[in-house]
Short mmCIF file of all heavy atoms in Angstrom, two decimals:
data_model
loop_
_atom_site.label_atom_id
_atom_site.label_comp_id
_atom_site.label_asym_id
_atom_site.label_seq_id
_atom_site.Cartn_x
_atom_site.Cartn_y
_atom_site.Cartn_z
N MET A 1 115.67 100.47 100.63
CA MET A 1 115.00 101.23 101.64
C MET A 1 115.91 101.51 102.84
O MET A 1 115.72 102.50 103.50
CB MET A 1 113.77 100.47 102.14
CG MET A 1 112.73 100.14 101.11
SD MET A 1 112.06 101.46 100.12
CE MET A 1 111.75 102.73 101.24
N SER A 2 116.83 100.65 103.10
CA SER A 2 117.64 100.71 104.32
C SER A 2 118.31 102.06 104.53
O SER A 2 119.04 102.54 103.67
CB SER A 2 118.73 99.64 104.25
OG SER A 2 118.53 98.66 105.19
N ASN A 3 118.07 102.63 105.69
CA ASN A 3 118.79 103.81 106.17
C ASN A 3 118.68 105.04 105.28
O ASN A 3 119.50 105.93 105.37
CB ASN A 3 120.28 103.47 106.37
CG ASN A 3 120.49 102.35 107.34
OD1 ASN A 3 119.76 102.21 108.31
ND2 ASN A 3 121.48 101.53 107.09
N LYS A 4 117.70 105.10 104.41
CA LYS A 4 117.58 106.24 103.51
C LYS A 4 117.33 107.53 104.29
O LYS A 4 116.79 107.52 105.39
CB LYS A 4 116.45 106.01 102.50
CG LYS A 4 116.73 104.88 101.53
CD LYS A 4 117.93 105.22 100.67
CE LYS A 4 118.16 104.13 99.64
NZ LYS A 4 119.45 104.24 99.01
N ASP A 5 117.72 108.64 103.67
CA ASP A 5 117.57 109.93 104.33
C ASP A 5 116.12 110.22 104.72
O ASP A 5 115.86 110.78 105.78
CB ASP A 5 118.08 111.06 103.43
CG ASP A 5 119.60 111.09 103.34
OD1 ASP A 5 120.25 110.53 104.24
OD2 ASP A 5 120.12 111.69 102.38
N PHE A 6 115.16 109.86 103.86
CA PHE A 6 113.77 110.18 104.19
C PHE A 6 113.32 109.47 105.47
O PHE A 6 112.48 109.98 106.21
CB PHE A 6 112.82 109.87 103.03
CG PHE A 6 112.42 108.43 102.87
CD1 PHE A 6 111.28 107.95 103.49
CD2 PHE A 6 113.19 107.56 102.11
CE1 PHE A 6 110.90 106.61 103.35
CE2 PHE A 6 112.82 106.24 101.97
CZ PHE A 6 111.67 105.76 102.59
N ILE A 7 113.90 108.29 105.74
CA ILE A 7 113.58 107.59 106.99
C ILE A 7 114.15 108.37 108.17
O ILE A 7 113.47 108.61 109.16
CB ILE A 7 114.12 106.15 106.97
CG1 ILE A 7 113.40 105.34 105.88
CG2 ILE A 7 113.95 105.48 108.33
CD1 ILE A 7 113.98 103.95 105.67
N GLY A 8 115.40 108.77 108.07
CA GLY A 8 116.03 109.55 109.13
C GLY A 8 115.32 110.87 109.38
O GLY A 8 115.14 111.29 110.52
N GLU A 9 114.89 111.53 108.31
CA GLU A 9 114.19 112.80 108.44
C GLU A 9 112.82 112.60 109.09
O GLU A 9 112.36 113.43 109.87
CB GLU A 9 114.03 113.45 107.08
CG GLU A 9 115.36 113.91 106.49
CD GLU A 9 115.29 114.24 105.02
OE1 GLU A 9 114.19 114.14 104.42
OE2 GLU A 9 116.34 114.60 104.45
N THR A 10 112.18 111.49 108.78
CA THR A 10 110.84 111.23 109.32
C THR A 10 110.89 110.91 110.81
O THR A 10 110.06 111.40 111.58
CB THR A 10 110.17 110.07 108.55
OG1 THR A 10 110.10 110.42 107.17
CG2 THR A 10 108.78 109.79 109.08
N VAL A 11 111.85 110.08 111.22
CA VAL A 11 111.90 109.65 112.63
C VAL A 11 112.99 110.37 113.43
O VAL A 11 113.17 110.07 114.61
CB VAL A 11 112.08 108.11 112.73
CG1 VAL A 11 110.90 107.40 112.13
CG2 VAL A 11 113.38 107.66 112.09
N ASP A 12 113.70 111.28 112.78
CA ASP A 12 114.77 112.05 113.44
C ASP A 12 115.79 111.15 114.12
O ASP A 12 116.05 111.25 115.31
CB ASP A 12 114.18 113.04 114.45
CG ASP A 12 115.21 114.06 114.94
OD1 ASP A 12 116.20 114.29 114.21
OD2 ASP A 12 115.03 114.59 116.05
N ARG A 13 116.33 110.22 113.32
CA ARG A 13 117.35 109.29 113.82
C ARG A 13 118.58 109.32 112.92
O ARG A 13 118.48 109.52 111.71
CB ARG A 13 116.82 107.85 113.84
CG ARG A 13 115.67 107.61 114.78
CD ARG A 13 116.19 107.38 116.20
NE ARG A 13 115.13 107.12 117.13
CZ ARG A 13 114.74 105.90 117.49
NH1 ARG A 13 115.31 104.83 117.00
NH2 ARG A 13 113.76 105.77 118.36
N LYS A 14 119.73 109.06 113.51
CA LYS A 14 120.96 108.93 112.73
C LYS A 14 120.94 107.63 111.94
O LYS A 14 120.16 106.72 112.23
CB LYS A 14 122.17 108.98 113.66
CG LYS A 14 122.32 110.31 114.33
CD LYS A 14 123.53 110.34 115.22
CE LYS A 14 123.69 111.76 115.67
NZ LYS A 14 124.03 112.02 116.98
N GLN A 15 121.83 107.51 110.99
CA GLN A 15 121.81 106.39 110.05
C GLN A 15 121.81 105.03 110.72
O GLN A 15 121.08 104.14 110.33
CB GLN A 15 122.99 106.50 109.09
CG GLN A 15 122.93 105.46 107.99
CD GLN A 15 124.02 105.66 106.96
OE1 GLN A 15 124.99 106.35 107.20
NE2 GLN A 15 123.85 105.05 105.81
N LEU A 16 122.61 104.82 111.74
CA LEU A 16 122.69 103.51 112.38
C LEU A 16 121.59 103.27 113.41
O LEU A 16 121.58 102.24 114.08
CB LEU A 16 124.07 103.33 113.01
CG LEU A 16 125.24 103.34 112.02
CD1 LEU A 16 126.58 103.21 112.77
CD2 LEU A 16 125.10 102.25 110.99
N GLU A 17 120.66 104.20 113.53
CA GLU A 17 119.57 104.09 114.50
C GLU A 17 118.20 103.99 113.82
O GLU A 17 117.19 104.35 114.41
CB GLU A 17 119.59 105.31 115.43
CG GLU A 17 120.88 105.46 116.21
CD GLU A 17 120.96 106.78 116.96
OE1 GLU A 17 120.12 107.67 116.74
OE2 GLU A 17 121.87 106.91 117.78
N ARG A 18 118.18 103.50 112.59
CA ARG A 18 116.94 103.50 111.80
C ARG A 18 116.38 102.12 111.53
O ARG A 18 115.51 101.96 110.67
CB ARG A 18 117.21 104.19 110.46
CG ARG A 18 117.67 105.62 110.60
CD ARG A 18 117.98 106.23 109.26
NE ARG A 18 118.58 107.55 109.43
CZ ARG A 18 119.15 108.23 108.47
NH1 ARG A 18 119.20 107.74 107.25
NH2 ARG A 18 119.66 109.41 108.70
N VAL A 19 116.81 101.10 112.25
CA VAL A 19 116.40 99.73 111.93
C VAL A 19 114.89 99.56 112.05
O VAL A 19 114.25 99.02 111.15
CB VAL A 19 117.13 98.70 112.82
CG1 VAL A 19 116.60 97.30 112.57
CG2 VAL A 19 118.62 98.76 112.57
N GLU A 20 114.30 100.02 113.15
CA GLU A 20 112.86 99.84 113.34
C GLU A 20 112.07 100.56 112.27
O GLU A 20 111.09 100.03 111.74
CB GLU A 20 112.42 100.34 114.73
CG GLU A 20 113.04 99.57 115.87
CD GLU A 20 114.35 100.17 116.36
OE1 GLU A 20 114.94 101.01 115.65
OE2 GLU A 20 114.79 99.79 117.45
N ALA A 21 112.48 101.78 111.93
CA ALA A 21 111.79 102.54 110.90
C ALA A 21 111.98 101.89 109.53
O ALA A 21 111.06 101.90 108.70
CB ALA A 21 112.28 103.98 110.89
N THR A 22 113.14 101.33 109.29
CA THR A 22 113.38 100.61 108.04
C THR A 22 112.47 99.40 107.95
O THR A 22 111.90 99.11 106.90
CB THR A 22 114.86 100.20 107.92
OG1 THR A 22 115.67 101.38 107.87
CG2 THR A 22 115.11 99.37 106.66
N ILE A 23 112.31 98.66 109.06
CA ILE A 23 111.42 97.49 109.07
C ILE A 23 110.00 97.92 108.71
O ILE A 23 109.34 97.28 107.89
CB ILE A 23 111.47 96.79 110.44
CG1 ILE A 23 112.81 96.10 110.63
CG2 ILE A 23 110.32 95.78 110.57
CD1 ILE A 23 113.06 95.57 112.03
N ALA A 24 109.53 99.01 109.30
CA ALA A 24 108.18 99.49 109.00
C ALA A 24 108.05 99.88 107.53
O ALA A 24 107.05 99.55 106.87
CB ALA A 24 107.84 100.68 109.89
N THR A 25 109.05 100.55 107.01
CA THR A 25 109.03 100.98 105.61
C THR A 25 108.99 99.78 104.67
O THR A 25 108.20 99.74 103.72
CB THR A 25 110.26 101.84 105.31
OG1 THR A 25 110.29 102.93 106.23
CG2 THR A 25 110.25 102.36 103.90
N VAL A 26 109.82 98.79 104.93
CA VAL A 26 109.86 97.59 104.10
C VAL A 26 108.54 96.83 104.19
O VAL A 26 108.02 96.35 103.19
CB VAL A 26 111.06 96.69 104.48
CG1 VAL A 26 110.97 95.34 103.80
CG2 VAL A 26 112.36 97.39 104.10
N ALA A 27 107.96 96.75 105.39
CA ALA A 27 106.67 96.06 105.56
C ALA A 27 105.60 96.71 104.69
O ALA A 27 104.84 96.01 104.01
CB ALA A 27 106.26 96.07 107.02
N VAL A 28 105.55 98.02 104.69
CA VAL A 28 104.55 98.72 103.87
C VAL A 28 104.81 98.48 102.38
O VAL A 28 103.88 98.24 101.61
CB VAL A 28 104.53 100.23 104.19
CG1 VAL A 28 103.67 100.99 103.20
CG2 VAL A 28 104.03 100.46 105.61
N CYS A 29 106.07 98.48 101.98
CA CYS A 29 106.40 98.22 100.57
C CYS A 29 105.93 96.83 100.15
O CYS A 29 105.36 96.66 99.06
CB CYS A 29 107.90 98.37 100.34
SG CYS A 29 108.47 100.08 100.42
N ILE A 30 106.15 95.85 101.01
CA ILE A 30 105.71 94.49 100.70
C ILE A 30 104.19 94.43 100.62
O ILE A 30 103.62 93.81 99.73
CB ILE A 30 106.26 93.50 101.73
CG1 ILE A 30 107.78 93.39 101.58
CG2 ILE A 30 105.61 92.12 101.58
CD1 ILE A 30 108.45 92.67 102.70
N MET A 31 103.52 95.10 101.55
CA MET A 31 102.06 95.10 101.54
C MET A 31 101.52 95.78 100.29
O MET A 31 100.41 95.48 99.84
CB MET A 31 101.54 95.80 102.79
CG MET A 31 101.82 94.99 104.05
SD MET A 31 101.48 95.87 105.57
CE MET A 31 99.74 96.09 105.45
N GLN A 32 102.31 96.66 99.69
CA GLN A 32 101.90 97.34 98.47
C GLN A 32 102.33 96.59 97.21
O GLN A 32 102.12 97.06 96.10
CB GLN A 32 102.47 98.76 98.45
CG GLN A 32 101.88 99.65 99.52
CD GLN A 32 100.39 99.89 99.32
OE1 GLN A 32 99.95 100.16 98.22
NE2 GLN A 32 99.63 99.75 100.39
N GLY A 33 102.97 95.42 97.39
CA GLY A 33 103.29 94.59 96.24
C GLY A 33 104.75 94.37 95.93
O GLY A 33 105.07 93.62 95.00
N ALA A 34 105.66 94.99 96.66
CA ALA A 34 107.09 94.78 96.40
C ALA A 34 107.45 93.32 96.67
O ALA A 34 107.00 92.72 97.64
CB ALA A 34 107.94 95.69 97.27
N ARG A 35 108.25 92.74 95.81
CA ARG A 35 108.70 91.36 95.98
C ARG A 35 110.20 91.26 96.19
O ARG A 35 110.73 90.24 96.56
CB ARG A 35 108.30 90.50 94.76
CG ARG A 35 106.82 90.34 94.59
CD ARG A 35 106.25 89.57 95.79
NE ARG A 35 104.80 89.56 95.75
CZ ARG A 35 104.04 90.44 96.40
NH1 ARG A 35 104.57 91.38 97.13
NH2 ARG A 35 102.74 90.38 96.33
N ILE A 36 110.90 92.35 95.92
CA ILE A 36 112.34 92.40 96.13
C ILE A 36 112.64 93.69 96.89
O ILE A 36 112.18 94.76 96.49
CB ILE A 36 113.12 92.39 94.80
CG1 ILE A 36 112.84 91.10 94.04
CG2 ILE A 36 114.62 92.57 95.04
CD1 ILE A 36 113.41 91.08 92.63
N VAL A 37 113.37 93.57 97.99
CA VAL A 37 113.79 94.74 98.74
C VAL A 37 115.28 94.63 99.02
O VAL A 37 115.80 93.55 99.21
CB VAL A 37 113.01 94.89 100.08
CG1 VAL A 37 111.56 95.21 99.82
CG2 VAL A 37 113.12 93.65 100.93
N ARG A 38 115.96 95.76 99.00
CA ARG A 38 117.39 95.79 99.30
C ARG A 38 117.56 96.45 100.65
O ARG A 38 117.08 97.57 100.87
CB ARG A 38 118.13 96.60 98.24
CG ARG A 38 119.62 96.66 98.48
CD ARG A 38 120.29 97.56 97.44
NE ARG A 38 121.68 97.72 97.75
CZ ARG A 38 122.18 98.60 98.60
NH1 ARG A 38 121.38 99.39 99.27
NH2 ARG A 38 123.48 98.68 98.82
N VAL A 39 118.22 95.75 101.55
CA VAL A 39 118.42 96.27 102.91
C VAL A 39 119.83 95.98 103.38
O VAL A 39 120.51 95.12 102.84
CB VAL A 39 117.40 95.64 103.89
CG1 VAL A 39 115.98 95.99 103.51
CG2 VAL A 39 117.56 94.15 103.99
N HIS A 40 120.24 96.71 104.42
CA HIS A 40 121.54 96.48 105.02
C HIS A 40 121.45 95.55 106.22
O HIS A 40 122.34 94.74 106.45
CB HIS A 40 122.16 97.82 105.46
CG HIS A 40 122.42 98.75 104.34
ND1 HIS A 40 123.45 98.57 103.44
CD2 HIS A 40 121.77 99.87 103.94
CE1 HIS A 40 123.44 99.54 102.55
NE2 HIS A 40 122.43 100.34 102.82
N ASP A 41 120.39 95.66 106.98
CA ASP A 41 120.22 94.90 108.22
C ASP A 41 119.44 93.62 107.95
O ASP A 41 118.30 93.46 108.42
CB ASP A 41 119.52 95.77 109.26
CG ASP A 41 120.26 97.07 109.51
OD1 ASP A 41 121.43 96.99 109.93
OD2 ASP A 41 119.70 98.14 109.26
N VAL A 42 120.06 92.71 107.24
CA VAL A 42 119.38 91.50 106.78
C VAL A 42 118.85 90.65 107.93
O VAL A 42 117.70 90.22 107.91
CB VAL A 42 120.31 90.67 105.86
CG1 VAL A 42 119.66 89.35 105.47
CG2 VAL A 42 120.69 91.47 104.63
N ALA A 43 119.66 90.43 108.94
CA ALA A 43 119.24 89.59 110.07
C ALA A 43 117.99 90.12 110.75
O ALA A 43 117.12 89.35 111.17
CB ALA A 43 120.37 89.46 111.09
N GLU A 44 117.86 91.43 110.84
CA GLU A 44 116.69 92.03 111.47
C GLU A 44 115.47 92.04 110.55
O GLU A 44 114.34 91.93 110.99
CB GLU A 44 116.99 93.47 111.91
CG GLU A 44 117.97 93.58 113.04
CD GLU A 44 119.44 93.53 112.61
OE1 GLU A 44 119.72 93.30 111.42
OE2 GLU A 44 120.30 93.71 113.47
N LEU A 45 115.72 92.18 109.25
CA LEU A 45 114.62 92.31 108.29
C LEU A 45 114.00 91.00 107.86
O LEU A 45 112.80 90.94 107.59
CB LEU A 45 115.11 93.06 107.04
CG LEU A 45 114.91 94.58 107.04
CD1 LEU A 45 113.46 94.96 106.92
CD2 LEU A 45 115.59 95.29 108.15
N VAL A 46 114.77 89.93 107.79
CA VAL A 46 114.23 88.66 107.30
C VAL A 46 113.02 88.19 108.11
O VAL A 46 111.98 87.87 107.53
CB VAL A 46 115.32 87.56 107.22
CG1 VAL A 46 114.71 86.18 107.01
CG2 VAL A 46 116.29 87.89 106.09
N PRO A 47 113.08 88.14 109.44
CA PRO A 47 111.89 87.70 110.18
C PRO A 47 110.69 88.63 109.97
O PRO A 47 109.55 88.17 109.89
CB PRO A 47 112.33 87.71 111.64
CG PRO A 47 113.80 87.74 111.63
CD PRO A 47 114.21 88.38 110.34
N ALA A 48 110.94 89.92 109.88
CA ALA A 48 109.85 90.87 109.66
C ALA A 48 109.20 90.65 108.30
O ALA A 48 107.97 90.63 108.18
CB ALA A 48 110.36 92.30 109.77
N VAL A 49 110.01 90.47 107.28
CA VAL A 49 109.48 90.22 105.93
C VAL A 49 108.70 88.91 105.91
O VAL A 49 107.60 88.85 105.36
CB VAL A 49 110.62 90.21 104.89
CG1 VAL A 49 110.14 89.68 103.55
CG2 VAL A 49 111.21 91.61 104.74
N ARG A 50 109.24 87.87 106.51
CA ARG A 50 108.53 86.59 106.54
C ARG A 50 107.20 86.71 107.28
O ARG A 50 106.20 86.10 106.89
CB ARG A 50 109.41 85.53 107.18
CG ARG A 50 110.55 85.12 106.28
CD ARG A 50 111.41 84.05 106.89
NE ARG A 50 112.48 83.68 105.96
CZ ARG A 50 113.56 83.02 106.30
NH1 ARG A 50 113.73 82.62 107.56
NH2 ARG A 50 114.47 82.74 105.40
N MET A 51 107.17 87.50 108.35
CA MET A 51 105.93 87.67 109.09
C MET A 51 104.88 88.40 108.26
O MET A 51 103.72 87.99 108.22
CB MET A 51 106.20 88.44 110.39
CG MET A 51 105.07 88.46 111.34
SD MET A 51 104.78 86.81 112.00
CE MET A 51 103.01 86.74 111.92
N VAL A 52 105.29 89.45 107.58
CA VAL A 52 104.35 90.18 106.71
C VAL A 52 103.83 89.25 105.62
O VAL A 52 102.62 89.22 105.34
CB VAL A 52 105.01 91.44 106.10
CG1 VAL A 52 104.12 92.06 105.03
CG2 VAL A 52 105.34 92.45 107.18
N GLU A 53 104.72 88.47 105.02
CA GLU A 53 104.28 87.52 103.99
C GLU A 53 103.30 86.50 104.56
O GLU A 53 102.33 86.13 103.91
CB GLU A 53 105.49 86.81 103.38
CG GLU A 53 106.36 87.71 102.54
CD GLU A 53 107.63 87.04 102.07
OE1 GLU A 53 108.05 86.01 102.66
OE2 GLU A 53 108.22 87.55 101.12
N GLY A 54 103.55 86.05 105.79
CA GLY A 54 102.64 85.10 106.43
C GLY A 54 101.28 85.72 106.70
O GLY A 54 100.23 85.11 106.46
N ILE A 55 101.27 86.95 107.19
CA ILE A 55 100.02 87.65 107.45
C ILE A 55 99.21 87.81 106.17
O ILE A 55 97.98 87.66 106.17
CB ILE A 55 100.29 89.02 108.11
CG1 ILE A 55 100.82 88.82 109.52
CG2 ILE A 55 99.04 89.90 108.09
CD1 ILE A 55 101.40 90.08 110.15
N LEU A 56 99.90 88.09 105.08
CA LEU A 56 99.22 88.28 103.80
C LEU A 56 98.84 86.96 103.13
O LEU A 56 98.20 86.96 102.08
CB LEU A 56 100.10 89.11 102.86
CG LEU A 56 100.35 90.55 103.32
CD1 LEU A 56 101.38 91.22 102.42
CD2 LEU A 56 99.05 91.34 103.34
N GLY A 57 99.24 85.83 103.73
CA GLY A 57 98.92 84.53 103.16
C GLY A 57 99.84 84.09 102.05
O GLY A 57 99.53 83.17 101.31
N TRP A 58 100.98 84.72 101.93
CA TRP A 58 101.94 84.39 100.88
C TRP A 58 102.98 83.38 101.33
O TRP A 58 103.76 82.89 100.52
CB TRP A 58 102.68 85.63 100.39
CG TRP A 58 101.80 86.70 99.82
CD1 TRP A 58 100.51 86.55 99.39
CD2 TRP A 58 102.13 88.06 99.64
NE1 TRP A 58 100.03 87.74 98.95
CE2 TRP A 58 101.01 88.69 99.09
CE3 TRP A 58 103.28 88.81 99.89
CZ2 TRP A 58 100.99 90.04 98.77
CZ3 TRP A 58 103.26 90.15 99.58
CH2 TRP A 58 102.14 90.76 99.02
N ARG A 59 103.05 83.09 102.63
CA ARG A 59 104.07 82.18 103.16
C ARG A 59 103.41 81.29 104.21
O ARG A 59 102.78 81.78 105.13
CB ARG A 59 105.20 82.99 103.79
CG ARG A 59 106.25 82.16 104.49
CD ARG A 59 107.33 83.05 105.11
NE ARG A 59 108.15 83.66 104.09
CZ ARG A 59 109.21 83.06 103.53
NH1 ARG A 59 109.55 81.84 103.90
NH2 ARG A 59 109.92 83.67 102.62
N PRO A 60 103.59 79.97 104.07
CA PRO A 60 103.05 79.07 105.10
C PRO A 60 103.91 79.15 106.36
O PRO A 60 105.06 79.60 106.31
CB PRO A 60 103.15 77.69 104.45
CG PRO A 60 104.29 77.82 103.49
CD PRO A 60 104.25 79.24 102.98
N PRO A 61 103.39 78.69 107.49
CA PRO A 61 104.20 78.69 108.70
C PRO A 61 105.46 77.84 108.51
O PRO A 61 105.42 76.81 107.84
CB PRO A 61 103.28 78.04 109.74
CG PRO A 61 101.90 78.19 109.20
CD PRO A 61 102.03 78.19 107.72
N ALA A 62 106.55 78.28 109.10
CA ALA A 62 107.79 77.52 109.03
C ALA A 62 107.63 76.20 109.78
O ALA A 62 108.15 75.16 109.37
CB ALA A 62 108.95 78.32 109.61
N VAL A 63 106.91 76.24 110.90
CA VAL A 63 106.64 75.07 111.72
C VAL A 63 105.20 75.16 112.20
O VAL A 63 104.81 76.16 112.77
CB VAL A 63 107.58 75.02 112.95
CG1 VAL A 63 107.28 73.80 113.81
CG2 VAL A 63 109.04 75.02 112.51
N ALA A 64 104.42 74.11 111.96
CA ALA A 64 103.03 74.11 112.41
C ALA A 64 102.95 73.34 113.74
O ALA A 64 103.05 72.12 113.78
CB ALA A 64 102.16 73.45 111.36
N ARG A 65 102.75 74.08 114.83
CA ARG A 65 102.66 73.45 116.15
C ARG A 65 101.31 73.73 116.82
O ARG A 65 100.97 73.10 117.80
CB ARG A 65 103.75 73.99 117.08
CG ARG A 65 105.13 73.60 116.66
CD ARG A 65 106.13 73.99 117.75
NE ARG A 65 107.47 73.79 117.25
CZ ARG A 65 108.36 74.75 117.06
NH1 ARG A 65 108.05 75.98 117.34
NH2 ARG A 65 109.55 74.48 116.61
N HIS A 66 100.60 74.67 116.33
CA HIS A 66 99.36 75.10 116.97
C HIS A 66 98.30 74.01 116.92
O HIS A 66 98.02 73.43 115.88
CB HIS A 66 98.85 76.37 116.26
CG HIS A 66 97.66 76.97 116.93
ND1 HIS A 66 97.74 77.61 118.14
CD2 HIS A 66 96.36 77.01 116.58
CE1 HIS A 66 96.55 78.04 118.49
NE2 HIS A 66 95.68 77.70 117.55
N ASN A 67 97.73 73.73 118.06
CA ASN A 67 96.63 72.76 118.19
C ASN A 67 97.02 71.32 117.79
O ASN A 67 96.17 70.55 117.37
CB ASN A 67 95.40 73.18 117.40
CG ASN A 67 94.77 74.42 118.00
OD1 ASN A 67 94.84 74.63 119.21
ND2 ASN A 67 94.17 75.23 117.16
N ILE A 68 98.28 70.98 117.91
CA ILE A 68 98.70 69.62 117.64
C ILE A 68 98.50 68.81 118.91
O ILE A 68 98.93 69.19 119.99
CB ILE A 68 100.18 69.56 117.18
CG1 ILE A 68 100.32 70.27 115.85
CG2 ILE A 68 100.65 68.12 117.11
CD1 ILE A 68 101.73 70.31 115.33
N VAL A 69 97.83 67.68 118.77
CA VAL A 69 97.53 66.83 119.93
C VAL A 69 98.57 65.76 120.06
O VAL A 69 99.05 65.17 119.17
CB VAL A 69 96.13 66.22 119.80
CG1 VAL A 69 95.84 65.34 121.00
CG2 VAL A 69 95.12 67.31 119.67
#
């Protein structure tokens, strides 16, 4: 998905300016069932992918701190 032309055409951005749009595209793909995605901006995408997986209930929290007494 990373930096594909359709992303640039949709958001009118140059190739190196498409990170946010790529994150959105990958999030939708995961929500539709994708389990493997190929991206260039790994550092930016990993937290986004983990968050989507967490929202969907596919990934437990990395650290459980909420409401700990």
